[in-house]
């Protein structure tokens, strides 16, 4: 267990000191009566969105509380995971002083956010089987290391990391461990959410952009201890999740059956895509996946990428990423799209 973990010492001085913006809607508590709102300089004529949205997204959070078994004050919602991750940087990393650790090949936003926030990014390559290199990671830690980003299932490799390795990192790193679970709904592995109560240094992020099919509304979710969420709430823009997003998200999260059915279908399609790729001559290796995409090593990724483009299929060439020379990442499409893709691959 983490004995010397202390969220106070990790938080930036400026964040500890600040008093957050108090919005008009923060200052009154509803008792359910019908009220006349003359407090926020809104246009009073109803059009569905003339009022500011709930800054704490209470309806949506109450659904997540039921589904995920955490309390409301352990949830922070943001304008996509991108905003949530940025808030984590801004709360805990002092520019030009602190550092973070990322594990390439992985999601590109961690590095971009470290650049934006002027925070050193210490990169520790995954091992050749795409697992975290625990001894090397712990070696890279110093007293200014605030965050460790673990993307599991990992993008672009697709695999979920070994539980033992992640646990070892949670046990031995005294900064915050951010586990990005954007693809968790496609994985057999259990979410790390259930471990929140055991690890005060754990932050789990999820999103409605992938399995929930709502990349367009921008909704990212952060789960952590009450203390961490309180700090993030202090610095978030007051109305960071707009009304339309809250409404759409609410409908979708209420309709979990529909989400589950689509996930099942995507997983079936993933299996047939893998089978088809196995029979394509220029595909040299298909990596194990817990996500809604498949990473494959090919003979010449640039050439195959261009050939697919000519056939009006856009995939992602991940060749510039370390350990990913000549790889293409295929997102699983609809059955019709996959059929076309497979037909085209067979012809190339
Ligand atoms: C797609 C993806 C996200 C999603 O980000 P949003 O801003 O919520 O759309 C987050 N993390 C990883 C690793 C992803 O691949």
């Amino acid at each position: 267990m983490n004995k010397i973990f202390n969220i106070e010492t990790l938080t930036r001085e400026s964040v500890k000191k600040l008093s957050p913006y108090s919005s008009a809607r923060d200052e009154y508590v509803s008792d359910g009566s019908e009220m006349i709102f003359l407090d926020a300089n809104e246009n009073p004529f109803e059009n569905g969105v003339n009022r500011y949205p709930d800054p704490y997204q209470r309806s949506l959070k109450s659904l997540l509380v039921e589904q995920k078994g955490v309390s409301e004050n352990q949830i922070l919602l943001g304008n996509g995971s991108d905003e949530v991750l940025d808030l984590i940087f801004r709360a805990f990393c002092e520019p030009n002083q602190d550092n973070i650790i990322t594990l390439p090949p992985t999601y590109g936003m961690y590095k971009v956010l470290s650049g934006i926030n002027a925070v050193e990014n210490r990169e520790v390559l995954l091992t050749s089987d795409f697992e975290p290199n625990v001894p090397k990671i712990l070696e890279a830690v110093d007293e200014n290391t605030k965050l460790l980003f673990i993307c599991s299932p990992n993008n672009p490799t697709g695999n979920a990391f070994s539980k033992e390795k992640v646990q070892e990192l949670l046990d031995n790193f005294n900064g915050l461990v951010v586990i990005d679970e954007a693809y968790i709904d496609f994985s057999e592995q259990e979410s790390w959410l259930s471990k929140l109560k055991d690890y005060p240094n754990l932050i789990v992020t999820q999103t409605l952009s992938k399995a929930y099919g709502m990349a367009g509304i921008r909704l990212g979710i952060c789960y952590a201890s009450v203390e961490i969420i309180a700090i993030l709430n202090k610095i978030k823009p007051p109305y960071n999740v707009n009304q339309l997003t809250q409404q759409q998200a609410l409908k979708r999260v209420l309709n979990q059956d529909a989400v589950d059915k689509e996930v099942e279908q995507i997983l079936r399609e993933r299996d047939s895509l893998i089978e088809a790729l196995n029979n394509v001559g220029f595909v040299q290796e298909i990596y194990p996946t817990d996500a809604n995409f498949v990473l494959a090593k090919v003979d010449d990724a640039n050439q195959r990428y261009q050939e697919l483009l000519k056939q009006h299929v856009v995939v992602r060439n991940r060749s510039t990423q370390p350990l990913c020379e000549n790889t293409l990442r295929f997102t699983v499409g609809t059955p019709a799209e996959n059929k076309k893709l497979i037909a085209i691959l067979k012809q190339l």
Side-chain angles (χ1 to χ4, degrees), residues 80-82 107 110 151 155 180 182-183 207 209-210 218-220:
S81 310
D82 296 342
Y107 185 47
Y110 315 136
C151 185
N155 178 8
D180 183 339
Y183 300 98
T207 176
S209 294
K210 305 288 156 61
R218 314 303 301 130
L219 192 94

